[in-house]
């Protein structure tokens, strides 16, 4: 059984930094594209960043480019999201997702096979 468990969400002031982690189990981690999505109240779930199996293919949504960094440690079955220069509009529940693809990163939530429970990130102004 696949489990994705996010951690690291908390309240932070605008301009601050936060690091999220997602620990995966029950899957051959290095063969999966991993991604971070977020969902703010009243809004649809949106793609934030994705990384392929060997970290050779990385993609960010425009609003986080230059501020967020996605990375993975296949030895630890963990994917990370380093978030810098946080803005109030980054406030959302952040979800980790896994897609059984080695290379192609999709921005569509419906194409991902497994999801974590989410972790709340709140950025105060």
């Amino acid at each position: 059984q696949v489990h994705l468990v996010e951690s690291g969400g908390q309240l932070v002031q605008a301009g601050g930094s936060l690091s999220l982690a997602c620990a995966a189990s029950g899957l051959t981690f290095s063969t999966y594209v991993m991604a971070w999505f977020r969902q703010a109240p009243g809004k649809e779930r949106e793609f934030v960043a994705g990384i392929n199996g060997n970290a050779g293919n990385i993609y960010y949504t425009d609003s986080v480019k230059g501020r967020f960094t996605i990375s993975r440690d296949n030895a630890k079955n963990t994917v990370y999201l380093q978030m810098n220069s946080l803005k109030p509009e980054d406030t959302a529940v952040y979800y980790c997702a896994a897609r059984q693809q080695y290379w192609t990163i999709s921005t569509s939530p419906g194409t991902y096979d497994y999801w974590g429970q989410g972790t709340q990130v709140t950025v105060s102004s």
Side-chain angles (χ1 to χ4, degrees), residues 1-7 21-27 29 32-36 77-79 94-99 112-119:
Q1 191 172 2
V2 176
H3 290 284
L4 303 178
V5 180
E6 301 97 335
S7 61
C22 171
S25 60
L27 73 171
F29 184 72
Y32 280 71
V33 163
M34 300 300 297
W36 288 95
N77 284 9
T78 302
V79 61
Y94 282 70
Y95 297 91
C96 171
R99 182 178 189 227
Y112 284 77
D113 301 295
Y114 304 104
W115 292 85
Q117 82 289 349
T119 186

Side-chain angles (χ1 to χ4, degrees), residues 43-59:
K43 294 188 177 182
E44 293 186 352
R45 191 167 298 190
E46 67 166 348
F47 174 87
V48 175
I51 185 168
N52 84 307
N54 69 352
N57 186 17
I58 293 175
Y59 184 72

Side-chain angles (χ1 to χ4, degrees), residues 18-94:
L18 207 55
S19 182
L20 305 182
C22 171
S25 60
L27 73 171
T28 306
F29 184 72
S30 62
T31 66
Y32 280 71
V33 163
M34 300 300 297
W36 288 95
F37 287 77
R38 64 187 180 188
Q39 189 166 17
K43 294 188 177 182
E44 293 186 352
R45 191 167 298 190
E46 67 166 348
F47 174 87
V48 175
I51 185 168
N52 84 307
N54 69 352
N57 186 17
I58 293 175
Y59 184 72
Y60 299 96
T61 193
D62 285 346
S63 63
V64 308
K65 283 181 182 176
R67 299 189 300 122
F68 290 11
T69 302
I70 189 171
S71 62
R72 66 190 295 160
D73 185 339
N74 287 345
K76 295 182 178 180
N77 284 9
T78 302
V79 61
Y80 305 95
L81 185 68
Q82 176 65 39
M83 303 184 292
N84 298 328
S85 302
L86 283 161
K87 304 175 181 180
E89 51 264 44
D90 294 319
T91 294
V93 177
Y94 282 70

